[in-house]
Amino acid sequence: MLSLAATFKNSADKKHRWRMKNADPNRSPEEIKTSLEKLSAINLFEKDGVGLFQDVVSAKFVERTVTPIFDKSKEPSLPDTGTESERSTSQITDSEANSAELLREITVEERIIQSGIIEQRFELPAGIDPNEINEEQTLSLVLAVMPEGGTLEDIYFDEAVDPAKIVMVVKVNTDQ
């Protein structure tokens, strides 16, 4: 699926990202820039007192390709052969080993956005292409860094920094 990913500055001079699915790749860069500038000019959108889409900074086309590997819901289920902790080392898949390796090398930066909402940023270890990690590895990363009882609100790649970082916005239970 092709989408248009744009970055804007908001009225607090912070970056705000916006994505439009199924964008028309036949539009010229000038047409796209003009349309995004119009979105800035109408000054219509606001969140928590901060005006969004104040100044367009950049735009790019992003193409997402999904290649199914397997779907357990379409396969007959196999009998349970014991708990995960009872499996032998030889039964651990390459994917699980790769996920564990990724988790050992991650440093998470965390900041409070507002009461009960935090932003977590982390980069993948050197040599790991974010486009090459599979869903299981991504899920392992998310679950490993998310605070207990947290709810994932948003996740995206911040490609404006080098190396790119994964950014998670998490709602945390403040009653604990």
Side-chain angles (χ1 to χ4, degrees), residues 56-162:
V56 65
V57 175
S58 66
K60 60 186 168 188
F61 283 115
V62 176
E63 187 167 4
R64 180 175 174 221
T65 304
V66 178
T67 306
I69 305 298
F70 66 90
D71 186 348
K72 290 175 84 173
S73 68
K74 295 180 182 177
E75 297 174 1
S77 61
L78 298 173
D80 187 11
T81 58
T83 64
E84 188 171 349
S85 61
E86 294 172 338
R87 289 188 294 165
S88 70
T89 307
S90 64
Q91 291 175 306
I92 296 176
T93 66
D94 288 341
S95 182
E96 289 171 319
N98 291 342
S99 296
E101 184 64 32
L102 286 174
L103 294 176
R104 274 196 286 274
E105 301 179 29
I106 291 180
T107 301
V108 179
E109 302 166 16
E110 192 172 280
R111 72 179 179 99
I112 298 173
I113 296 176
Q114 65 187 45
S115 179
I117 305 287
I118 62 171
E119 176 186 84
Q120 296 180 306
R121 297 174 153 267
F122 57 94
E123 66 185 66
L124 294 174
I128 303 295
D129 181 357
N131 298 314
E132 297 296 322
I133 62 174
N134 64 34
E135 288 179 27
E136 185 177 328
Q137 292 169 321
T138 303
L139 181 60
S140 294
L141 290 169
V142 168
L143 294 176
V145 300
M146 188 178 310
E148 187 175 329
T151 304
L152 185 64
E153 297 286 311
D154 193 13
I155 186 168
Y156 58 90
F157 282 105
D158 182 356
E159 297 172 3
V161 296
D162 189 30

